[in-house]
Amino acid sequence: MTDTNRQGSFQKSADVIVVGAGAAGMMAAARAASMGCSVLLLEKNQKVGRKIGITGKGRCNLTNNCDMREFMTHVVNNPRFLYSSLSRFAPADMIALMEENGVPVKTERGRRVFPVSDRSFDVIDGLLGLVKRSGARVLCGRNVDSISFDPGRNLFTARTGSEQFSAPAMIVTTGGLSYPSTGSTGDGLRWASHLGLDVTDCRPSLVPFTCRELWCRELMGLSLKNISIRIRREEDHSSKPLFSEFGEMLFTHFGVSGPVILSASSFIQQYLRKKHLTYEQAGLVLSIDLKPALDKETLDKRLIRDLETYHNSEMRHALEDLLPKRLISIVLKEADVRPNKVAHDLTREERQRLVDVLKDLPLHITGCGGYNEAIITMGGVSVKEIDPSTMMVKTIPGLFMAGEMLDVDAVTGGYNLQIAFTTGRAAGEGAARFLKG
């Protein structure tokens, strides 16, 4: 294998070149180097792991502490593709790796795993330390603008504006299109397309929804916990929704966000992609159940008790034990009940309308956030192009792809970073085994 320590050649050639020093790239570089390969890890930014630094609101939800079977239920697109790689490097392995590299972790609600320090930069430092100790060389500020393959020499070349780096094996981990300010500008996807690979339709995912109802703006910043949502097509009144989940959401100036909404966006984007529909064509209605623990009969009894307690109060005050104050006027308006109506004057029909709205507060979805707000990219290099065990491109031996470049994604909760770590490690191992024959 290439001696990367030779004077004059150490920066330009190696056994393996990894393009993109994010989660997948650092794992790939460390794994290949630990198996005896000389590795060059090229990064366009001046520092590695820019996107890792902003995940989990700067805390870095690096994985989910669940078993493989549970993990697969949270993968939205192409979960079967992960069986081989995830069986070799699961969340428990990632947790152990962090601990071994000086980053103690903790498990929080929903089995989400964070560094004990609550600092994403500790995760970056741990990964960078792993890379350096493996012997891989990291070169930042190298904005690769093209890659090529010379079949006669079995050599891949990555070119920047003034340099070129060559190796008999290359791993591309440049990410998708989400958060382009971190460097994820779709470079690798364009290279893959130029090489003749099938790149599926890409969409922003894990994003907020925009809604038609202007009253969302009045509630901006209001968080609702322990609610459930359902999403269906307005024309479809069947009992089974496109998505339903229990959790936490947040109102924004343009619509809704929060954990349960971000997860919903993955499934809705997948549905629209498969059906070739726009949001306008789909006509989606999001229904919020503000009291999912109570059925309508029980909720009605609770409402009657509150009305008796506040029988001389106006309705805008009579519901303060049941709802956040800012939400009361919206619920009353949707139920067609005057806010200044005295509680003891509320009719049975009005009370029933209130119950109906509390169990089904509707919002009409008009669209979603763009890549600047998207946590991940849905779509990418088709998994049919990739060997799921090694991450090697089936038609171009020696070329590997991993991480968010692949058409594999999951809901929130640490699953997507684990996919990057898992596929990156598989690519590094695959590259080393390819070179060893």
Side-chain angles (χ1 to χ4, degrees):
M1 294 185 180
T2 306
D3 180 5
T4 58
N5 293 312
R6 287 183 299 170
Q7 289 293 325
S9 64
F10 71 98
Q11 287 190 332
K12 306 298 183 183
S13 62
D15 297 322
V16 182
I17 289 175
V18 182
V19 186
M26 284 194 278
M27 286 295 287
R31 184 57 174 160
S34 71
M35 294 178 68
C37 298
S38 59
V39 178
L40 279 176
L41 175 56
L42 308 179
E43 168 57 41
K44 66 159 62 173
N45 295 308
Q46 295 302 319
K47 294 183 178 180
V48 302
R50 282 281 302 278
K51 192 171 179 182
I52 297 175
I54 63 173
T55 60
K57 297 179 180 179
R59 296 177 61 216
C60 189
N61 178 196
L62 60 101
T63 189
N64 192 282
N65 195 1
C66 65
D67 61 25
M68 184 170 168
R69 180 177 297 181
E70 176 70 15
F71 191 99
M72 289 299 186
T73 66
H74 293 86
V75 180
V76 178
N77 283 297
N78 300 309
R80 290 179 178 273
F81 176 80
L82 293 173
Y83 273 113
S84 178
S85 58
L86 196 62
S87 65
R88 302 197 309 274
F89 192 76
D93 300 308
M94 188 62 206
I95 290 171
L97 187 68
M98 285 287 95
E99 298 273 359
E100 291 164 6
N101 283 273
V103 187
V105 301
K106 58 184 176 180
T107 301
E108 298 187 357
R109 182 171 55 88
R111 301 178 306 275
R112 298 169 186 237
V113 178
F114 295 88
V116 169
S117 66
D118 285 328
R119 296 181 69 254
S120 59
F121 295 105
D122 289 341
V123 174
I124 297 171
D125 288 345
L127 291 170
L128 183 58
L130 175 69
V131 171
K132 290 182 175 179
R133 284 189 295 276
S134 73
R137 182 175 177 82
V138 183
L139 299 179
C140 290
R142 264 61 175 196
N143 189 1
V144 175
D145 50 40
S146 68
I147 64 171
S148 61
F149 176 58
D150 182 346
R153 300 168 61 202
N154 288 321
L155 205 64
F156 293 91
T157 299
R159 292 179 176 82
T160 68
S162 59
E163 299 174 292
Q164 63 178 42
F165 304 87
S166 299
M170 178 177 286
I171 305 173
V172 183
T173 54
T174 53
L177 295 158
S178 60
Y179 292 136
S181 62
T182 65
S184 296
T185 52
D187 300 336
L189 298 177
R190 287 190 292 274
W191 302 335
S193 183
H194 292 157
L195 290 169
L197 304 183
D198 178 20
V199 178
T200 65
D201 175 34
C202 291
R203 295 169 179 253
S205 191
L206 298 181
V207 281
F209 286 133
T210 55
C211 297
R212 188 172 72 196
E213 285 72 14
L214 297 179
W215 53 259
C216 288
R217 195 172 302 170
E218 300 174 36
L219 301 177
M220 183 174 65
L222 175 65
S223 177
L224 299 180
K225 297 181 179 180
N226 303 319
I227 54 88
S228 68
I229 66 168
R230 291 177 291 113
I231 300 177
R232 61 172 176 82
R233 295 190 67 176
E234 192 166 21
E235 63 184 33
D236 182 8
H237 297 284
S238 63
S239 58
K240 187 175 182 180
L242 298 174
F243 177 86
S244 62
E245 188 60 86
F246 175 89
E248 181 178 345
M249 62 171 284
L250 173 74
F251 288 99
T252 70
H253 69 283
F254 52 78
V256 287
S257 186
V260 72
I261 299 298
L262 299 183
S263 290
S265 75
S266 276
F267 289 91
I268 296 306
Q269 291 288 66
Q270 180 197 49
Y271 171 78
L272 296 178
R273 184 170 74 155
K274 286 184 176 179
K275 297 292 184 179
H276 304 289
L277 292 171
T278 64
Y279 279 93
E280 184 179 3
Q281 292 167 335
L284 300 173
V285 177
L286 183 155
S287 167
I288 307 170
D289 184 344
L290 295 166
K291 298 294 173 181
L294 306 177
D295 59 26
K296 282 191 174 184
E297 183 180 351
T298 307
L299 180 57
D300 187 41
K301 291 178 181 177
R302 161 69 194 274
L303 187 56
I304 290 172
R305 289 199 302 272
D306 283 5
L307 294 175
E308 289 173 348
T309 300
Y310 299 100
H311 64 282
N312 288 325
S313 300
E314 294 181 347
M315 286 302 299
R316 59 188 168 190
H317 301 301
L319 298 180
E320 289 182 359
D321 289 349
L322 193 65
L323 295 170
K325 286 185 179 181
R326 293 172 63 191
L327 189 57
I328 292 173
S329 62
I330 303 300
V331 168
L332 289 172
K333 184 176 180 180
E334 290 294 311
D336 195 21
V337 174
R338 289 185 293 106
N340 61 350
K341 186 162 191 170
V342 178
H344 64 67
D345 290 335
L346 193 74
T347 67
R348 181 177 180 180
E349 289 74 21
E350 287 174 322
R351 195 181 77 238
Q352 188 57 58
R353 290 203 301 270
L354 266 177
V355 170
D356 289 342
V357 170
L358 289 169
K359 295 295 289 181
D360 183 5
L361 179 62
L363 287 166
H364 294 79
I365 301 173
T366 57
C368 70
Y371 285 115
N372 285 328
E373 300 170 90
I375 295 176
I376 60 164
T377 302
M378 176 176 289
V381 177
S382 170
V383 295
K384 295 178 181 179
E385 301 276 11
I386 307 294
D387 182 321
S389 178
T390 64
M391 301 299 140
M392 187 164 73
V393 176
K394 294 176 181 178
T395 56
I396 310 175
L399 180 62
F400 301 78
M401 296 184 176
E404 199 177 338
M405 279 194 59
L406 305 176
D407 185 13
V408 183
D409 60 272
V411 298
T412 58
Y415 304 101
N416 289 291
L417 259 182
Q418 179 64 48
I419 290 171
F421 293 135
T422 292
T423 57
R425 182 181 171 91
E429 189 171 294
R433 295 193 186 282
F434 168 78
L435 292 173
K436 291 176 181 178

